Amino acid sequence: RELRFVNGTIEHKLLVESDLFGPDTAVTVENFFYEGEVDGGGLIREHRQRDVIFKAWKRLGMRDDDIGVLSDADETPTRDFLRAVQICDIPQLRVEEQDCHSPKLVVSSMVFEG
């Protein structure tokens, strides 16, 4: 399928230059794809994608108080939830207590279908 948000497209321009995430938030789009054979099971491709994302976050200067959201499109948290994560004391996210073996917060919400 055709890649979206490629540099030079209107989609890329709107995402990167629209201040959608606030005037002080730099937006970076990196396309990752690997269509070759994958050894090791069905989640290897997902792990490779996540590895690329984590390296990009580090390269772009992610700090301890930044929030990185890694989710499927149907699992995107609300802006209110993300703000609460920034300002509330959540034990699982305390830097001084984090061992990086489970550096995540599992999010669940109500699902409405209709």
Side-chain angles (χ1 to χ4, degrees), residues 67-108:
I67 297 174
V69 177
L70 186 58
S71 68
D72 294 339
D74 63 341
E75 299 169 345
T76 305
T78 65
R79 180 182 297 195
D80 293 332
F81 176 82
L82 293 176
R83 186 65 182 135
V85 170
Q86 281 184 315
I87 61 177
C88 296
D89 181 28
I90 300 173
Q92 299 98 308
L93 301 179
R94 291 182 188 148
V95 174
E96 61 277 358
E97 297 177 20
Q98 186 51 250
D99 61 7
C100 293
H101 292 288
S102 58
K104 66 180 182 178
L105 182 65
V106 178
V107 179
S108 63

Side-chain angles (χ1 to χ4, degrees), residues 12-22 27:
H12 183 272
K13 183 178 177 71
L14 288 172
L15 184 64
V16 173
E17 298 178 13
S18 69
D19 289 340
L20 176 66
F21 302 100
V27 177

Side-chain angles (χ1 to χ4, degrees), residues 7-58:
N7 196 9
T9 64
I10 189 68
E11 291 93 350
H12 183 272
K13 183 178 177 71
L14 288 172
L15 184 64
V16 173
E17 298 178 13
S18 69
D19 289 340
L20 176 66
F21 302 100
D24 299 324
T25 303
V27 177
T28 302
V29 178
E30 296 187 24
N31 294 301
F32 171 81
F33 56 92
Y34 178 79
E35 297 301 327
E37 289 295 318
V38 178
D39 293 329
L43 294 177
I44 296 299
R45 183 171 284 129
E46 182 177 338
H47 289 293
R48 287 183 177 181
Q49 291 170 341
R50 288 176 183 239
D51 186 52
V52 169
I53 292 168
F54 295 147
K55 287 177 181 174
W57 284 349
K58 288 179 184 178

